[in-house]
C-alpha cells in the first residue's frame, strides 16, 4: 500500500490550495482515508477524512473552508483548502486505515509522505 501526497506550497492568507493523495486501488476502496497535519511543536491532528461508509468528518477549525473528496476512477483523494489562514501552516499527511482517529488511523495505518503548506500573513 502506498500513498503519494502532493500539492503543498506557499500561499498568502485568504488563498487556496488543493492537496492530492494517490493510493493503490485496493487501499482506496477498502479503507477510510484522511488528511492530518502537524505544525512545528505540535502533535499531528486529523484535518478531514472520508470514512468507509462515505461519510466525512472535519476538525472544527476548517469547517466551511476545507472540502475533502475522492475520485474513485483515479484512486485519488483531494483536500480543497480555501480561505487559508496562517494557522493552517503545517506539514499535511494523507493516511488510510480501518477508521480515522484524531491522532491517526486505526488498524493497519498507512501514511504518505508529508507535503508542506505555508500560509503567509
Amino acid at each position: 500500500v502506498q500513498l503519494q501526497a502532493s500539492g503543498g506550497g506557499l500561499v498568502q492568507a485568504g488563498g487556496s490550495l488543493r492537496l492530492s493523495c494517490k493510493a493503490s486501488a485496493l487501499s482506496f476502496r477498502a479503507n477510510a482515508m484522511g488528511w492530518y497535519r502537524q505544525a512545528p511543536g505540535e502533535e499531528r491532528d486529523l484535518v478531514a477524512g472520508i470514512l468507509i461508509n462515505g461519510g466525512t468528518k472535519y476538525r472544527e477549525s476548517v469547517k466551511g473552508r476545507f472540502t475533502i473528496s475522492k475520485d474513485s476512477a483515479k484512486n485519488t483523494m483531494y483536500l480543497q483548502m480555501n480561505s487559508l489562514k496562517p494557522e493552517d501552516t503545517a506539514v499535511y499527511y494523507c493516511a488510510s486505515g480501518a477508521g480515522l482517529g484524531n491522532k491517526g488511523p486505526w488498524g493497519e495505518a498507512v501514511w504518505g509522505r508529508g507535503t508542506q503548506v505555508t500560509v503567509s500573513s
Side-chain angles (χ1 to χ4, degrees):
V1 175
Q2 288 187 328
L3 301 175
Q4 297 177 331
S6 62
L10 172 64
V11 65
Q12 288 187 332
S16 298
L17 284 173
R18 188 177 78 159
L19 305 183
S20 300
C21 177
K22 187 169 178 61
S24 65
L26 179 60
S27 177
F28 197 80
R29 290 195 303 268
N31 292 284
M33 295 186 67
W35 290 96
Y36 291 79
R37 71 185 183 189
Q38 186 169 21
E42 299 184 10
E43 295 183 337
R44 190 156 47 186
D45 292 313
L46 178 67
V47 177
I50 299 178
L51 307 179
I52 291 176
N53 65 6
T56 58
K57 59 190 297 186
Y58 295 90
R59 68 181 292 121
E60 193 64 33
S61 63
V62 307
K63 286 181 179 179
R65 300 189 297 122
F66 291 11
T67 303
I68 192 169
S69 62
K70 64 179 183 180
D71 184 335
S72 297
K74 297 181 179 179
N75 296 331
T76 301
M77 174 179 67
Y78 302 100
L79 184 68
Q80 179 66 44
M81 304 185 294
N82 298 328
S83 302
L84 282 160
K85 304 176 181 181
E87 51 264 43
D88 295 317
T89 295
V91 178
Y92 284 69
Y93 300 87
C94 60
S96 69
L100 301 174
N102 288 333
K103 299 299 182 182
W106 309 323
E108 294 185 9
V110 177
W111 292 91
R113 294 180 64 180
T115 184
Q116 176 71 46
V117 171
T118 303
V119 184
S120 63
S121 58

